[in-house]
Amino acid sequence: MRFSHLLLPTLKETPTEAEVVSHQLLLRAGFIRKLTTGIYIYLPLGLATLRKIEQVVREEMNRAGAQELLLPMVQPADLWEESGRWHKYGPELLRFTDRHDRPSCLGPTHEEVITDLVRREVHSYRSLPLNLYQIQTKFRDEIRPRFGLMRGREFVMKDGYSFDATEEAADRTYQKMNDAYHRIFRRCGLRFRAVEADTGSIGGSFSHEFMVLADTGEDTLVICTSCRYAANMEKATSQAPSAAPAGELRPLEKVETPGKRKVAAVAEFLGISPRELVKTMVYLADSKPVAVLVRGDHEVQPVKLKNLLGAVEVELATDQQVFDLTGVPTGYLGPVGLKLPLVMDREVAVLRNVVAGANEKNYHLRNVNPGRDFEAGQVADLRMVTVADRCPVCGSELELTRGIEVGHIFKLGIKYSQALKATFLDAEGKERPFIMGCYGIGVSRTIAAAIEQNHDKDGIIFPLPIAPFQAVVLNLSPNDGQITSAAESIYEGLRQQGFEVLLDDRDERPGSKFKDADLIGVPFRVTVGRKLAEQGMVEVRQRADGHTADLPFAEAVERLAEMIRAGLARYSIKNDE
RNA sequence: CGGGACGUGGCUCAGUCUGGUAGAGCACAGCGUUCGGGACGCUGGGGUCGGAGGUUCGAAUCCUCUCGUCCCGACCA
């Protein structure tokens, strides 16, 4: 491709609307333009990278035995009524009526459509397993779209759905997809981790998220420093506490703590550490209040609470709501004598003689003991893991790091097949619901994640497999016949070997060409300029490490071809791996 | 939904408080000089100051409404 004919509008300055680096660079490097909130145009380079990732995804999905199809974006409401999600999904689902007043929606995901298809077309265990996927534009009317391609309303997603006859077969399919996902992100050249995750609103029995590691990620991951344990913060757990220490249970004692509401203030006032204190947090679980007890130095993990209670939504009560419910201002709440359902983190259960609110303004209680002074309805792991915790599997130290979710695989079970009555006949002629799984990859988000992970002050540093071009040839003097013909011949030579090459043939100053080449992140740069006339050499520079070498013009195409092939080989995966 | 900020040429922004009829840099077009890390000079084109209404002799500037964009928050007691 010739730069002079390419729609590649690079920007010197950073548009004010872009906050995060991937968004800034995608705009500056001429990959995307915004049409409206959360909706972006893919310019030629953006599309090139999108297609690269799609191709890796396709190859690995096909290799794992999945089949590609394409489902409609517009879906009828009746299917969503049938699954129950027409009412559950909320305003993220963009609804509208067509000219015949038929309620419809834009597909944010396709469980309903695919399940409907399979229930109509597949009736026997002999047709199973079946694994179907598509790569398609999804629409979710997000409350607050932001960060460019990271959280758009319209985005490109690979979504796959599997149908198996038995739990064991479904587990094998899940494992296959897990392997395929590892191969996909390795082949894209990204540093990532697969972590255990909460199943969230999609439901199902277990799931893993694939997280691209980047400090700017929105999610926190908990990773064991020695074994393979890794989990999303919502799901992460830690080594269970050892049993409560034996010893005297001292009598309750009420102490005045004027104006001390926060854990840190109370602890300091009483001369104790925050871990000798119990916090009482009031949550509303589907509008029903519940008090949650955690140690003073811990924080409630709302998703764990939600799962324990089987609630659809939990939220922290406001100060006013707490007062209305208990007659106690926040800061002085405690479990002793509290007239609310109680649940307790397992760490609280092993505490002895601790401090808690007295349910009276300006007073706390000393020597509170679970079991003696109060009973919790349920005891469970309800808190966020911290770096002070130990790995639940091997007991080693844990590390917290940030990541961007680019893939998510779920074992769904029979949630949708049951709701939509999608069944098959097994070998005994018995009717059974399909055991389903679903598997997503945010293809457009992966571009943003790749940039968050791989950039410097000059621009993007694309991993070779997903770069829009593998090499860029800079013709520094388009008006010089010798230089121009040399640049053209290197460009043509590489193209003939099947490489994707950009030729910068613009009548621009050299500085602009260097800057643009760095900005768009092309891995190999070939500069044809005065060194050619002086020494017969061209310069090759690698974007990632800045490594530079001069090559004789006559050997340039071959040497470069070797370098690109060697570079690509580093990301390929042998079939027996 | 709640809170904050901002809408001035393609981009980044000044001018708004204190009303007097629109500016800079970049980008774009032409000419000349330049040419290995975003050059320089001269000339030129381009803006109903987001929109509507109002106040005023006069509004980018003041008032009201409206649309759009960006950021923050979903309360750790």
Side-chain angles (χ1 to χ4, degrees):
Chain A
M1 196 69 214
R2 284 166 190 276
F3 206 137
S4 58
H5 299 308
L6 187 62
L7 181 59
L8 178 44
T10 58
L11 267 28
K12 270 195 222 181
E13 291 176 280
T14 302
T16 41
E17 69 190 51
E19 178 83 355
V20 299
V21 69
S22 62
H23 189 193
Q24 294 173 347
L25 289 175
L26 283 165
L27 290 168
R28 284 195 53 208
F31 278 57
I32 60 169
R33 285 293 182 264
K34 184 175 73 176
L35 181 62
T36 183
T37 306
I39 299 181
Y40 291 88
I41 292 163
Y42 292 86
L43 296 171
L45 260 68
L47 184 62
T49 289
L50 190 73
R51 293 280 187 251
K52 284 285 191 76
I53 298 171
E54 285 180 7
Q55 194 49 36
V56 171
V57 170
R58 273 198 182 91
E59 288 173 16
E60 292 300 332
M61 290 301 291
N62 293 346
R63 182 180 182 279
Q67 307 169 53
E68 185 170 4
L69 43 58
L70 187 57
L71 302 168
M73 202 167 83
V74 172
Q75 306 180 12
D78 8 322
L79 269 182
W80 286 74
E81 296 272 13
E82 213 178 327
S83 72
R85 289 208 291 185
W86 185 256
H87 301 287
K88 273 193 197 157
Y89 212 94
E92 243 181 56
L93 183 64
L94 183 64
R95 299 154 214 249
F96 58 94
T97 52
D98 65 14
R99 69 197 301 170
H100 302 294
D101 277 336
R102 281 187 295 242
S104 310
C105 62
L106 285 186
T109 174
H110 284 69
E111 282 83 5
E112 281 79 2
V113 174
I114 198 87
T115 309
D116 177 57
L117 172 74
V118 170
R119 75 176 165 184
R120 285 191 284 176
E121 307 301 333
V122 181
H123 307 285
S124 162
Y125 74 98
R126 294 178 203 226
S127 310
L128 302 180
L130 192 60
N131 192 343
L132 303 166
Y133 76 97
Q134 62 170 341
I135 296 175
Q136 187 216 30
T137 298
K138 295 277 189 280
F139 192 91
R140 293 182 189 170
D141 203 356
E142 295 272 350
I143 308 173
R144 187 142 91 88
R146 56 185 140 175
F147 306 150
L149 295 190
M150 203 85 92
R151 182 179 295 280
R153 294 196 293 166
E154 201 178 282
F155 57 98
V156 177
M157 182 171 171
K158 186 285 296 182
D159 51 324
Y161 307 89
S162 66
F163 301 83
D164 280 285
T166 65
E167 289 289 340
E168 299 71 48
D171 289 348
R172 279 195 298 277
T173 301
Y174 185 88
Q175 193 50 49
K176 263 190 194 173
M177 285 295 106
N178 196 344
D179 293 346
Y181 273 43
H182 275 91
R183 293 174 61 100
I184 287 166
F185 294 114
R186 265 180 74 184
R187 283 188 55 191
C188 286
L190 300 171
R191 298 186 301 282
F192 69 98
R193 280 299 287 255
V195 302
E196 292 179 18
D198 185 71
T199 49
S201 62
I202 303 214
S205 32
F206 55 90
S207 83
H208 284 84
E209 284 173 349
F210 287 75
M211 315 287 297
V212 167
L213 304 179
D215 297 337
T216 50
E218 284 189 273
D219 295 300
T220 303
L221 321 182
V222 177
I223 295 176
C224 177
T225 53
S226 79
C227 79
R228 298 182 52 132
Y229 181 76
N232 185 305
M233 196 52 149
E234 295 174 350
K235 171 90 177 180
T237 182
S238 55
Q239 205 170 41
S242 36
E248 184 197 2
L249 300 188
R250 293 195 290 271
L252 275 179
E253 180 189 332
K254 191 159 141 186
V255 289
E256 192 169 6
T257 49
K260 308 296 179 193
R261 304 173 62 245
K262 302 256 176 194
V263 166
V266 175
E268 194 194 342
F269 183 74
L270 297 176
I272 58 174
S273 88
R275 51 184 303 161
E276 297 172 90
L277 214 139
V278 168
K279 277 199 290 205
T280 306
M281 309 290 298
V282 177
Y283 277 82
L284 298 177
D286 299 335
S287 308
K288 292 195 291 281
V290 57
V292 185
L293 305 179
V294 293
R295 217 167 71 188
D297 58 332
H298 287 154
E299 293 185 6
V300 175
Q301 169 46 257
V303 173
K304 290 181 181 176
L305 178 65
K306 190 175 88 171
N307 290 340
L308 178 75
L309 301 173
V312 175
E313 195 180 43
V314 299
E315 62 178 335
L316 198 59
T318 62
D319 287 356
Q320 188 59 49
Q321 286 169 328
V322 170
F323 189 80
D324 292 346
L325 284 162
T326 64
V328 180
T330 56
Y332 304 100
L333 238 46
V336 183
L338 188 66
K339 302 266 186 306
L340 286 178
L342 271 184
V343 296
M344 165 165 71
D345 181 64
R346 61 186 186 180
E347 299 274 356
V348 174
V350 301
L351 294 177
R352 286 292 175 268
N353 303 320
V354 289
V355 169
N359 293 322
E360 181 179 341
K361 189 174 179 184
N362 294 336
Y363 285 95
H364 279 74
L365 294 175
R366 279 186 194 273
N367 301 327
V368 172
N369 285 289
R372 183 190 71 181
D373 303 320
F374 66 91
E375 291 289 345
Q378 296 185 78
V379 179
D381 173 17
L382 289 175
R383 67 181 179 90
M384 305 255 200
V385 168
T386 72
V387 278
D389 288 309
R390 295 295 178 135
C391 173
V393 177
C394 74
S396 302
E397 286 185 15
L398 293 172
E399 184 176 273
L400 300 191
T401 182
R402 309 287 288 179
I404 300 163
E405 179 189 350
V406 290
H408 203 158
I409 60 178
F410 298 87
K411 185 181 172 197
L412 286 178
I414 57 172
K415 178 173 170 171
Y416 293 93
S417 48
Q418 201 164 48
L420 295 172
K421 299 186 179 59
T423 59
F424 63 97
L425 293 184
D426 68 12
E428 278 83 48
K430 199 174 161 217
E431 192 172 58
R432 294 183 178 281
F434 295 103
I435 318 283
M436 290 176 60
C438 81
Y439 317 96
I441 289 180
V443 182
S444 44
R445 179 185 280 183
T446 300
I447 302 175
I451 294 171
E452 291 291 336
Q453 189 182 72
N454 303 285
H455 67 272
D456 62 16
K457 65 171 173 43
D458 294 316
I460 305 171
I461 307 175
F462 271 118
L464 185 53
I466 60 172
F469 295 100
Q470 292 155 345
V472 55
V473 178
L474 304 189
N475 175 354
L476 289 196
S477 302
N479 298 319
D480 179 307
Q482 188 198 1
I483 287 172
T484 297
S485 76
E488 296 274 346
S489 103
I490 292 170
Y491 169 65
E492 286 300 338
L494 288 171
R495 276 162 48 99
Q496 274 165 24
Q497 299 211 27
F499 296 112
E500 294 135 2
V501 192
L502 176 65
L503 174 65
D504 194 343
D505 57 342
R506 293 174 301 168
D507 186 14
E508 289 287 341
R509 297 169 60 82
S512 305
K513 299 188 182 187
F514 290 129
K515 288 290 185 191
D516 277 341
D518 285 346
L519 183 60
I520 64 179
V522 177
F524 290 96
R525 185 186 80 192
V526 188
T527 307
V528 186
R530 65 169 182 231
K531 276 186 206 161
L532 181 75
E534 292 167 1
Q535 307 158 30
M537 304 291 257
V538 299
E539 179 194 278
V540 176
R541 179 183 161 95
Q542 298 194 32
R543 179 69 179 88
D545 57 11
H547 181 75
T548 306
D550 288 338
L551 302 179
F553 165 66
E555 300 171 18
V557 170
E558 259 330 299
R559 295 279 296 279
L560 208 49
E562 282 165 25
M563 292 168 84
I564 299 173
R565 281 193 203 102
L568 287 171
R570 284 207 297 278
Y571 300 99
S572 71
I573 301 176
K574 293 184 187 68
N575 275 339
D576 53 1
E577 264 188 71

